[in-house]
Amino acid sequence: MAAKITNKGGIWIMQTRLIGIVLIVGLIATLLCSCTPLGATPSYPPASIAASTATASSITSAESQTPAVTDAPLPYQDASLPVEARVKDLLGRMTLDEKAGQMIQAERGSASPAAVTKAALGSVLSGGGSTPGDGGPEAWLDMTQAYQQAAMKCRLPIPLLYGVDAVHGHNNAVEAVLFPHNIALGAANSPELMKQMGVAVAEEMIATGIPWTFAPCLAVAQDPRWGRTYESFSSDPALVTSLALPYADGLLAGGAIPTAKHYVADGGAIWGTSKAIGYHIDQGDAAIDEQTLRHTHLAPYLAMIKAGVPVVMVSFSSWNGVKLHEQKYLLTDVLKGELGFQGFVISDYNGIEQLAYGTLAEKVAAAVNAGVDMLMETGLYAMALKAIVSGVNNGMIPQARVDDAVSRILRVKFEMGLFEDPFLQKRKAGGFGTDEHKVLAAELVARSLVLLKNDGILPFKAGQKVFVTGPAADDLGAQCGGWSLSWQGWTSDNRKTGGTTILAGLKLAAARAGAEILTDSADLEKADVVLLIIGEKPYAEGVGDSPDMSLTGKLALDGNVPALELAKSSEKPVVALVVAGREMVISDELKSWNAAVMAWLPGTEGQGVAPALFGERGFTGKLPMPWYRTVEDIGKQEAEPLFPIGYGLEQK
Ligand code: GLC
């Protein structure tokens, strides 16, 4: 049985709904007592849980007395009542417009706080790089508090859910600690540290007023040409599950709300099937049988749902030609029926607009009827809201489907304590950008390094002169990759945030080891060994779909070619360090290297790379996916990989 996910303050069990006697008594008494009349804005939150408990205990005698005018909380405001009672009570108070508002997630760029109040929106997101002010924590907190205050002004003050892609740290925020991307975490394979990472990321999110992250990604990537390969922990579903679960547990323990995405088989699409302009495989079609879908791609969701994950995000991709955003069998029959998922399903970024129908209203109806509960509609959110209302009024969308969707959304908001803590002030105030988080991130970097080849040149030794070259040596953006301060990340050496480059870490380690780092080409002759640090440009999603995965192709860092040539012409021993979001094609270059290490996308704490190179610790990373010799070998069971999944030399 998967670990029970614990949210703040206790074990949270989503599987059973206890409708106790307390509920019936509470509801009857509530209707009798003279609490805040319907329609007025109740005083929220109730004076105190103790006060409402006192009110509850006196309710049983209320029938015989003229109900006193009290500000007793309404059932939905009463934290002592079972969640289902609170959901049922609140749902019963909502108008159709308010219900439709809860089902909408707009983007901060298109919906102001005033719009949240006006339309009673349930959620707002920051898309990748959609940052307020200077992007620092104060600017984020000011913004998210303004949105929540706006939500509290609604006729029914329902806490707003603000969501971000904190996919390897609070990566939209300047000065946040950016952890290695998921593929590196797959190589590190440290479940015990995943929970700590979840808590750390939650702390940095909560510090900026943000409770919800669209992570972890449960993709089981099969084709490394996919631009989202680095968002996958592994091509092995068991490894994905073993890392995603503790990570989600850590997020919840830290007071944040995780999202299992992208449901389902986003990592199973076939190359060349994408219909998105300029993409090749991202958002493509998983042309696979149901057995493969279940044991490879659905498997991680089973554990996450059993553990109570609150949100599932739908994949842009298709399964056998049908877009997931309208796959009723998978979204409703399997996810909510067979697997018993009790949270809510959110569409991906304007994903419903990709559905092949004439009008937005038809697309909204198709998605909602298939099982989508909240629509991530960044620009057309007002039209989408109206489409839900009109869809119910004209029969395209059953009222019961809307009530189920809203109940799911409210359930998560109640379960996550947002009604009692809309401004996240009761959550443990953790740190933002702390040394503790940096140490944890650097440890994960160190554990993620995979030693691919070593003829004995490693570790570097005292007295050695190490000449460092290559475009990924001193570029914080290159080592962070996509989803870093912006959607596509950044490259160049102008620092937009704090962090330690790989080169800076090498200099510190060399000093400790009594070795010397050289970077001026005039010093090449003096060097004992060349450390070649090359890799990929940052990218995200289909922008990173790579036909060749080569060190000199369209996604390769511009400085790769001259660095490769310099290393080769130096006639010195060469150690190559690859900084990339996937296992690139290196079969030819590898032959001329004395040693090679895969460093993946380490994030802001590049100091985690040097210690193993200098022998301060061993290499323990193992490949989380097969490393193909050529692009043509991808997916061919009979083709022998350059390195198999699980490969990694150990240097004690
Ligand atoms: C994107 C991604 C998804 C992300 C969402 C919000 O297009 O597919 O992973 O969570 O939009 O940024």
Side-chain angles (χ1 to χ4, degrees), residues 105 107 125-129 163-167 172 213-215 217 228 231 259 261-262 266 279 282-283 313-316 347-350 376 378 483 487 541:
Q105 178 183 70
E107 213 278 342
L125 87 145
S126 276
V164 294
D165 292 280
V167 293
N172 283 318
T213 176
F214 310 128
C217 178
R228 308 198 76 162
E231 295 185 66
T259 305
K261 75 178 186 182
H262 311 82
D266 50 347
Y279 292 5
D282 188 35
Q283 305 187 14
M313 183 186 291
V314 187
S315 178
F316 279 122
S347 59
D348 200 343
Y349 203 92
N350 303 332
M376 185 188 292
T378 59
W483 296 104
W487 180 43
E541 303 189 41

mmCIF file of all heavy atoms in Angstrom, residues 105 107 125-129 163-167 172 213-215 217 228 231 259 261-262 266 279 282-283 313-316 347-350 376 378 483 487 541, ligand 1:
data_model
loop_
_atom_site.group_PDB
_atom_site.id
_atom_site.type_symbol
_atom_site.label_atom_id
_atom_site.label_comp_id
_atom_site.label_asym_id
_atom_site.label_seq_id
_atom_site.Cartn_x
_atom_site.Cartn_y
_atom_site.Cartn_z
ATOM 1 N N GLN A 105 -9.813 28.503 -14.046
ATOM 2 C CA GLN A 105 -8.495 29.008 -13.646
ATOM 3 C C GLN A 105 -8.021 29.950 -14.735
ATOM 4 O O GLN A 105 -7.780 29.535 -15.875
ATOM 5 C CB GLN A 105 -7.487 27.876 -13.488
ATOM 6 C CG GLN A 105 -6.092 28.386 -13.116
ATOM 7 C CD GLN A 105 -5.060 27.301 -13.025
ATOM 8 O OE1 GLN A 105 -4.673 26.734 -14.051
ATOM 9 N NE2 GLN A 105 -4.627 26.972 -11.816
ATOM 10 N N GLU A 107 -5.276 33.186 -16.015
ATOM 11 C CA GLU A 107 -3.854 33.490 -15.848
ATOM 12 C C GLU A 107 -3.726 34.901 -15.302
ATOM 13 O O GLU A 107 -4.541 35.787 -15.648
ATOM 14 C CB GLU A 107 -3.141 33.363 -17.195
ATOM 15 C CG GLU A 107 -1.699 32.860 -17.105
ATOM 16 C CD GLU A 107 -0.690 33.959 -16.751
ATOM 17 O OE1 GLU A 107 -1.027 35.149 -16.898
ATOM 18 O OE2 GLU A 107 0.398 33.631 -16.266
ATOM 19 N N LEU A 125 -3.459 31.221 -12.165
ATOM 20 C CA LEU A 125 -2.107 30.658 -12.253
ATOM 21 C C LEU A 125 -1.123 31.676 -12.778
ATOM 22 O O LEU A 125 -1.499 32.664 -13.412
ATOM 23 C CB LEU A 125 -2.075 29.436 -13.176
ATOM 24 C CG LEU A 125 -1.872 29.697 -14.683
ATOM 25 C CD1 LEU A 125 -1.037 28.581 -15.300
ATOM 26 C CD2 LEU A 125 -3.181 29.852 -15.418
ATOM 27 N N SER A 126 0.143 31.373 -12.532
ATOM 28 C CA SER A 126 1.243 32.004 -13.253
ATOM 29 C C SER A 126 1.760 30.959 -14.230
ATOM 30 O O SER A 126 2.219 29.892 -13.806
ATOM 31 C CB SER A 126 2.375 32.397 -12.303
ATOM 32 O OG SER A 126 2.138 33.637 -11.697
ATOM 33 N N GLY A 127 1.648 31.252 -15.523
ATOM 34 C CA GLY A 127 2.277 30.363 -16.494
ATOM 35 C C GLY A 127 3.794 30.492 -16.337
ATOM 36 O O GLY A 127 4.278 31.328 -15.558
ATOM 37 N N GLY A 128 4.538 29.689 -17.048
ATOM 38 C CA GLY A 128 6.003 29.724 -16.928
ATOM 39 C C GLY A 128 6.529 31.130 -17.153
ATOM 40 O O GLY A 128 6.326 31.712 -18.210
ATOM 41 N N GLY A 129 7.185 31.693 -16.167
ATOM 42 C CA GLY A 129 7.785 33.012 -16.323
ATOM 43 C C GLY A 129 6.847 34.170 -16.111
ATOM 44 O O GLY A 129 7.237 35.330 -16.236
ATOM 45 N N GLY A 163 -1.896 28.827 -8.492
ATOM 46 C CA GLY A 163 -1.036 27.705 -8.900
ATOM 47 C C GLY A 163 0.139 28.133 -9.764
ATOM 48 O O GLY A 163 0.044 29.099 -10.522
ATOM 49 N N VAL A 164 1.246 27.433 -9.591
ATOM 50 C CA VAL A 164 2.452 27.681 -10.393
ATOM 51 C C VAL A 164 3.112 26.355 -10.762
ATOM 52 O O VAL A 164 2.826 25.322 -10.149
ATOM 53 C CB VAL A 164 3.508 28.516 -9.619
ATOM 54 C CG1 VAL A 164 3.022 29.918 -9.340
ATOM 55 C CG2 VAL A 164 3.938 27.804 -8.354
ATOM 56 N N ASP A 165 4.004 26.417 -11.746
ATOM 57 C CA ASP A 165 4.817 25.256 -12.082
ATOM 58 C C ASP A 165 6.097 25.276 -11.258
ATOM 59 O O ASP A 165 7.159 25.618 -11.750
ATOM 60 C CB ASP A 165 5.184 25.274 -13.565
ATOM 61 C CG ASP A 165 3.988 25.063 -14.442
ATOM 62 O OD1 ASP A 165 3.581 23.903 -14.600
ATOM 63 O OD2 ASP A 165 3.432 26.070 -14.918
ATOM 64 N N ALA A 166 5.995 24.903 -10.020
ATOM 65 C CA ALA A 166 7.205 24.741 -9.199
ATOM 66 C C ALA A 166 7.662 23.303 -9.455
ATOM 67 O O ALA A 166 7.293 22.374 -8.733
ATOM 68 C CB ALA A 166 6.895 24.974 -7.727
ATOM 69 N N VAL A 167 8.371 23.129 -10.567
ATOM 70 C CA VAL A 167 8.662 21.768 -11.035
ATOM 71 C C VAL A 167 10.069 21.298 -10.678
ATOM 72 O O VAL A 167 10.383 20.117 -10.750
ATOM 73 C CB VAL A 167 8.450 21.646 -12.556
ATOM 74 C CG1 VAL A 167 6.974 21.814 -12.908
ATOM 75 C CG2 VAL A 167 9.292 22.662 -13.299
ATOM 76 N N ASN A 172 9.897 29.920 -10.804
ATOM 77 C CA ASN A 172 9.578 31.212 -11.427
ATOM 78 C C ASN A 172 10.105 32.366 -10.585
ATOM 79 O O ASN A 172 10.145 33.497 -11.046
ATOM 80 C CB ASN A 172 8.055 31.377 -11.570
ATOM 81 C CG ASN A 172 7.497 30.572 -12.730
ATOM 82 O OD1 ASN A 172 8.089 30.530 -13.810
ATOM 83 N ND2 ASN A 172 6.391 29.904 -12.501
ATOM 84 N N THR A 213 1.198 23.600 -6.638
ATOM 85 C CA THR A 213 2.161 23.438 -7.723
ATOM 86 C C THR A 213 1.665 22.384 -8.715
ATOM 87 O O THR A 213 1.028 21.400 -8.332
ATOM 88 C CB THR A 213 3.557 23.023 -7.229
ATOM 89 O OG1 THR A 213 4.403 22.795 -8.366
ATOM 90 C CG2 THR A 213 3.527 21.752 -6.387
ATOM 91 N N PHE A 214 1.960 22.607 -9.988
ATOM 92 C CA PHE A 214 1.596 21.639 -11.021
ATOM 93 C C PHE A 214 2.748 20.638 -11.159
ATOM 94 O O PHE A 214 3.433 20.586 -12.155
ATOM 95 C CB PHE A 214 1.343 22.360 -12.346
ATOM 96 C CG PHE A 214 0.407 23.532 -12.243
ATOM 97 C CD1 PHE A 214 0.770 24.780 -12.745
ATOM 98 C CD2 PHE A 214 -0.822 23.415 -11.625
ATOM 99 C CE1 PHE A 214 -0.094 25.880 -12.657
ATOM 100 C CE2 PHE A 214 -1.697 24.503 -11.523
ATOM 101 C CZ PHE A 214 -1.322 25.739 -12.047
ATOM 102 N N ALA A 215 2.926 19.904 -10.093
ATOM 103 C CA ALA A 215 4.015 18.910 -10.016
ATOM 104 C C ALA A 215 3.641 17.919 -8.917
ATOM 105 O O ALA A 215 2.859 18.260 -8.039
ATOM 106 C CB ALA A 215 5.338 19.602 -9.661
ATOM 107 N N CYS A 217 5.450 15.751 -12.219
ATOM 108 C CA CYS A 217 5.135 15.157 -13.512
ATOM 109 C C CYS A 217 5.378 13.660 -13.392
ATOM 110 O O CYS A 217 6.425 13.222 -12.959
ATOM 111 C CB CYS A 217 6.047 15.771 -14.580
ATOM 112 S SG CYS A 217 5.803 15.090 -16.212
ATOM 113 N N ARG A 228 10.221 17.075 -23.252
ATOM 114 C CA ARG A 228 9.876 17.014 -21.822
ATOM 115 C C ARG A 228 10.524 15.812 -21.141
ATOM 116 O O ARG A 228 10.174 15.475 -20.013
ATOM 117 C CB ARG A 228 8.357 16.976 -21.649
ATOM 118 C CG ARG A 228 7.632 18.089 -22.385
ATOM 119 C CD ARG A 228 6.242 18.338 -21.905
ATOM 120 N NE ARG A 228 6.243 19.072 -20.635
ATOM 121 C CZ ARG A 228 5.170 19.722 -20.173
ATOM 122 N NH1 ARG A 228 4.027 19.691 -20.826
ATOM 123 N NH2 ARG A 228 5.223 20.381 -19.030
ATOM 124 N N GLU A 231 11.594 16.261 -17.685
ATOM 125 C CA GLU A 231 10.532 16.374 -16.670
ATOM 126 C C GLU A 231 10.080 15.003 -16.192
ATOM 127 O O GLU A 231 9.251 14.890 -15.296
ATOM 128 C CB GLU A 231 9.347 17.155 -17.235
ATOM 129 C CG GLU A 231 9.652 18.612 -17.574
ATOM 130 C CD GLU A 231 8.418 19.374 -18.010
ATOM 131 O OE1 GLU A 231 7.507 19.577 -17.187
ATOM 132 O OE2 GLU A 231 8.357 19.765 -19.192
ATOM 133 N N THR A 259 0.192 18.144 -7.799
ATOM 134 C CA THR A 259 -0.642 17.775 -8.947
ATOM 135 C C THR A 259 0.038 16.640 -9.682
ATOM 136 O O THR A 259 1.220 16.747 -10.035
ATOM 137 C CB THR A 259 -0.750 18.966 -9.927
ATOM 138 O OG1 THR A 259 -1.236 20.107 -9.232
ATOM 139 C CG2 THR A 259 -1.658 18.635 -11.108
ATOM 140 N N LYS A 261 0.631 14.886 -13.028
ATOM 141 C CA LYS A 261 0.441 15.267 -14.434
ATOM 142 C C LYS A 261 1.420 14.508 -15.323
ATOM 143 O O LYS A 261 2.390 13.948 -14.820
ATOM 144 C CB LYS A 261 0.613 16.781 -14.596
ATOM 145 C CG LYS A 261 2.068 17.264 -14.544
ATOM 146 C CD LYS A 261 2.168 18.787 -14.757
ATOM 147 C CE LYS A 261 3.621 19.229 -14.839
ATOM 148 N NZ LYS A 261 3.746 20.695 -14.999
ATOM 149 N N HIS A 262 1.149 14.460 -16.636
ATOM 150 C CA HIS A 262 -0.033 14.883 -17.388
ATOM 151 C C HIS A 262 -0.771 13.610 -17.756
ATOM 152 O O HIS A 262 -0.204 12.761 -18.465
ATOM 153 C CB HIS A 262 0.352 15.640 -18.651
ATOM 154 C CG HIS A 262 1.357 16.721 -18.432
ATOM 155 N ND1 HIS A 262 2.711 16.480 -18.357
ATOM 156 C CD2 HIS A 262 1.222 18.052 -18.257
ATOM 157 C CE1 HIS A 262 3.343 17.626 -18.158
ATOM 158 N NE2 HIS A 262 2.466 18.598 -18.097
ATOM 159 N N ASP A 266 1.472 10.817 -21.431
ATOM 160 C CA ASP A 266 2.129 11.951 -22.107
ATOM 161 C C ASP A 266 3.507 11.519 -22.607
ATOM 162 O O ASP A 266 3.988 11.963 -23.643
ATOM 163 C CB ASP A 266 2.252 13.161 -21.179
ATOM 164 C CG ASP A 266 2.859 12.827 -19.817
ATOM 165 O OD1 ASP A 266 2.967 11.629 -19.492
ATOM 166 O OD2 ASP A 266 3.234 13.756 -19.068
ATOM 167 N N TYR A 279 6.284 21.351 -33.300
ATOM 168 C CA TYR A 279 6.588 20.226 -32.399
ATOM 169 C C TYR A 279 6.606 18.935 -33.200
ATOM 170 O O TYR A 279 6.019 18.849 -34.274
ATOM 171 C CB TYR A 279 5.531 20.119 -31.289
ATOM 172 C CG TYR A 279 5.499 21.234 -30.267
ATOM 173 C CD1 TYR A 279 6.310 22.362 -30.373
ATOM 174 C CD2 TYR A 279 4.649 21.160 -29.169
ATOM 175 C CE1 TYR A 279 6.258 23.382 -29.425
ATOM 176 C CE2 TYR A 279 4.591 22.161 -28.207
ATOM 177 C CZ TYR A 279 5.409 23.283 -28.350
ATOM 178 O OH TYR A 279 5.355 24.286 -27.410
ATOM 179 N N ASP A 282 5.936 16.141 -28.787
ATOM 180 C CA ASP A 282 5.185 16.697 -27.646
ATOM 181 C C ASP A 282 3.741 16.968 -28.065
ATOM 182 O O ASP A 282 3.473 17.508 -29.132
ATOM 183 C CB ASP A 282 5.849 17.992 -27.164
ATOM 184 C CG ASP A 282 5.234 18.488 -25.866
ATOM 185 O OD1 ASP A 282 4.861 17.631 -25.043
ATOM 186 O OD2 ASP A 282 5.088 19.705 -25.699
ATOM 187 N N GLN A 283 2.821 16.545 -27.217
ATOM 188 C CA GLN A 283 1.393 16.675 -27.483
ATOM 189 C C GLN A 283 0.948 15.745 -28.621
ATOM 190 O O GLN A 283 -0.122 15.919 -29.204
ATOM 191 C CB GLN A 283 0.997 18.125 -27.813
ATOM 192 C CG GLN A 283 1.416 19.135 -26.755
ATOM 193 C CD GLN A 283 0.870 20.519 -27.007
ATOM 194 O OE1 GLN A 283 -0.030 20.737 -27.823
ATOM 195 N NE2 GLN A 283 1.403 21.502 -26.278
ATOM 196 N N MET A 313 -3.708 16.691 -13.602
ATOM 197 C CA MET A 313 -3.769 17.549 -14.787
ATOM 198 C C MET A 313 -3.787 16.683 -16.038
ATOM 199 O O MET A 313 -3.023 15.722 -16.138
ATOM 200 C CB MET A 313 -2.566 18.499 -14.847
ATOM 201 C CG MET A 313 -2.621 19.462 -16.032
ATOM 202 S SD MET A 313 -1.157 20.471 -16.222
ATOM 203 C CE MET A 313 -1.296 21.544 -14.799
ATOM 204 N N VAL A 314 -4.646 17.070 -16.978
ATOM 205 C CA VAL A 314 -4.822 16.304 -18.210
ATOM 206 C C VAL A 314 -3.685 16.597 -19.183
ATOM 207 O O VAL A 314 -3.160 17.707 -19.224
ATOM 208 C CB VAL A 314 -6.159 16.668 -18.879
ATOM 209 C CG1 VAL A 314 -6.424 15.750 -20.075
ATOM 210 C CG2 VAL A 314 -7.305 16.553 -17.887
ATOM 211 N N SER A 315 -3.330 15.573 -19.951
ATOM 212 C CA SER A 315 -2.273 15.733 -20.950
ATOM 213 C C SER A 315 -2.810 16.354 -22.238
ATOM 214 O O SER A 315 -3.946 16.087 -22.643
ATOM 215 C CB SER A 315 -1.648 14.364 -21.263
ATOM 216 O OG SER A 315 -0.660 14.497 -22.267
ATOM 217 N N PHE A 316 -1.958 17.130 -22.892
ATOM 218 C CA PHE A 316 -2.313 17.668 -24.213
ATOM 219 C C PHE A 316 -2.410 16.538 -25.245
ATOM 220 O O PHE A 316 -3.014 16.696 -26.295
ATOM 221 C CB PHE A 316 -1.192 18.599 -24.715
ATOM 222 C CG PHE A 316 -1.196 19.986 -24.168
ATOM 223 C CD1 PHE A 316 -0.095 20.479 -23.495
ATOM 224 C CD2 PHE A 316 -2.277 20.830 -24.357
ATOM 225 C CE1 PHE A 316 -0.057 21.779 -23.004
ATOM 226 C CE2 PHE A 316 -2.256 22.137 -23.884
ATOM 227 C CZ PHE A 316 -1.143 22.602 -23.210
ATOM 228 N N SER A 347 -7.639 20.956 -16.689
ATOM 229 C CA SER A 347 -7.125 20.859 -18.065
ATOM 230 C C SER A 347 -5.735 21.477 -18.117
ATOM 231 O O SER A 347 -5.335 22.213 -17.225
ATOM 232 C CB SER A 347 -8.059 21.625 -19.020
ATOM 233 O OG SER A 347 -8.139 22.995 -18.629
ATOM 234 N N ASP A 348 -5.016 21.182 -19.184
ATOM 235 C CA ASP A 348 -3.734 21.843 -19.355
ATOM 236 C C ASP A 348 -3.990 23.183 -20.065
ATOM 237 O O ASP A 348 -5.088 23.476 -20.514
ATOM 238 C CB ASP A 348 -2.762 20.933 -20.139
ATOM 239 C CG ASP A 348 -1.319 21.345 -19.921
ATOM 240 O OD1 ASP A 348 -1.081 22.474 -19.466
ATOM 241 O OD2 ASP A 348 -0.436 20.523 -20.189
ATOM 242 N N TYR A 349 -2.983 23.947 -20.184
ATOM 243 C CA TYR A 349 -2.987 25.336 -20.628
ATOM 244 C C TYR A 349 -3.759 25.553 -21.944
ATOM 245 O O TYR A 349 -3.240 25.314 -23.020
ATOM 246 C CB TYR A 349 -1.523 25.738 -20.833
ATOM 247 C CG TYR A 349 -1.215 27.199 -20.768
ATOM 248 C CD1 TYR A 349 -0.827 27.798 -19.575
ATOM 249 C CD2 TYR A 349 -1.268 27.984 -21.912
ATOM 250 C CE1 TYR A 349 -0.496 29.146 -19.517
ATOM 251 C CE2 TYR A 349 -0.944 29.318 -21.864
ATOM 252 C CZ TYR A 349 -0.561 29.896 -20.674
ATOM 253 O OH TYR A 349 -0.233 31.231 -20.612
ATOM 254 N N ASN A 350 -5.020 25.977 -21.817
ATOM 255 C CA ASN A 350 -5.888 26.168 -22.991
ATOM 256 C C ASN A 350 -6.043 24.876 -23.788
ATOM 257 O O ASN A 350 -6.379 24.901 -24.974
ATOM 258 C CB ASN A 350 -5.348 27.282 -23.918
ATOM 259 C CG ASN A 350 -5.191 28.606 -23.191
ATOM 260 O OD1 ASN A 350 -5.922 28.868 -22.230
ATOM 261 N ND2 ASN A 350 -4.251 29.433 -23.608
ATOM 262 N N MET A 376 -8.187 25.380 -17.225
ATOM 263 C CA MET A 376 -7.077 26.314 -17.248
ATOM 264 C C MET A 376 -7.201 27.092 -18.551
ATOM 265 O O MET A 376 -6.721 26.688 -19.593
ATOM 266 C CB MET A 376 -5.729 25.584 -17.200
ATOM 267 C CG MET A 376 -4.533 26.505 -17.103
ATOM 268 S SD MET A 376 -2.952 25.641 -17.292
ATOM 269 C CE MET A 376 -2.890 24.648 -15.812
ATOM 270 N N THR A 378 -6.457 30.574 -20.002
ATOM 271 C CA THR A 378 -5.685 31.751 -19.612
ATOM 272 C C THR A 378 -6.300 33.028 -20.164
ATOM 273 O O THR A 378 -6.507 33.996 -19.456
ATOM 274 C CB THR A 378 -4.250 31.621 -20.155
ATOM 275 O OG1 THR A 378 -4.336 31.501 -21.581
ATOM 276 C CG2 THR A 378 -3.581 30.395 -19.572
ATOM 277 N N TRP A 483 11.926 25.940 -17.711
ATOM 278 C CA TRP A 483 11.155 26.175 -16.483
ATOM 279 C C TRP A 483 12.038 26.809 -15.416
ATOM 280 O O TRP A 483 12.052 26.388 -14.255
ATOM 281 C CB TRP A 483 10.526 24.887 -15.958
ATOM 282 C CG TRP A 483 9.506 24.270 -16.860
ATOM 283 C CD1 TRP A 483 9.676 23.168 -17.645
ATOM 284 C CD2 TRP A 483 8.165 24.733 -17.114
ATOM 285 N NE1 TRP A 483 8.523 22.909 -18.349
ATOM 286 C CE2 TRP A 483 7.583 23.850 -18.053
ATOM 287 C CE3 TRP A 483 7.391 25.799 -16.636
ATOM 288 C CZ2 TRP A 483 6.272 23.996 -18.528
ATOM 289 C CZ3 TRP A 483 6.082 25.943 -17.110
ATOM 290 C CH2 TRP A 483 5.531 25.058 -18.040
ATOM 291 N N TRP A 487 9.577 30.384 -18.998
ATOM 292 C CA TRP A 487 9.112 29.093 -19.522
ATOM 293 C C TRP A 487 10.259 28.341 -20.196
ATOM 294 O O TRP A 487 10.524 27.177 -19.875
ATOM 295 C CB TRP A 487 7.977 29.358 -20.507
ATOM 296 C CG TRP A 487 7.373 28.132 -21.134
ATOM 297 C CD1 TRP A 487 7.060 26.948 -20.509
ATOM 298 C CD2 TRP A 487 6.986 27.983 -22.495
ATOM 299 N NE1 TRP A 487 6.500 26.075 -21.408
ATOM 300 C CE2 TRP A 487 6.433 26.687 -22.641
ATOM 301 C CE3 TRP A 487 7.037 28.816 -23.623
ATOM 302 C CZ2 TRP A 487 5.953 26.220 -23.864
ATOM 303 C CZ3 TRP A 487 6.536 28.326 -24.829
ATOM 304 C CH2 TRP A 487 6.017 27.055 -24.939
ATOM 305 N N GLU A 541 9.000 21.896 -23.116
ATOM 306 C CA GLU A 541 7.945 21.279 -23.908
ATOM 307 C C GLU A 541 8.410 20.989 -25.343
ATOM 308 O O GLU A 541 9.569 20.638 -25.549
ATOM 309 C CB GLU A 541 6.682 22.155 -23.842
ATOM 310 C CG GLU A 541 6.217 22.371 -22.390
ATOM 311 C CD GLU A 541 4.863 23.034 -22.280
ATOM 312 O OE1 GLU A 541 3.946 22.699 -23.049
ATOM 313 O OE2 GLU A 541 4.702 23.885 -21.392
HETATM 314 C C1 GLC B 1 2.001 23.918 -19.767
HETATM 315 C C2 GLC B 1 2.372 22.512 -19.422
HETATM 316 C C3 GLC B 1 1.990 22.097 -18.025
HETATM 317 C C4 GLC B 1 1.970 23.298 -17.114
HETATM 318 C C5 GLC B 1 0.913 24.260 -17.600
HETATM 319 C C6 GLC B 1 0.857 25.543 -16.772
HETATM 320 O O1 GLC B 1 1.690 24.034 -21.102
HETATM 321 O O2 GLC B 1 1.970 21.479 -20.308
HETATM 322 O O3 GLC B 1 2.939 21.111 -17.591
HETATM 323 O O4 GLC B 1 1.686 22.884 -15.792
HETATM 324 O O5 GLC B 1 1.079 24.595 -18.961
HETATM 325 O O6 GLC B 1 2.019 26.297 -16.969
#
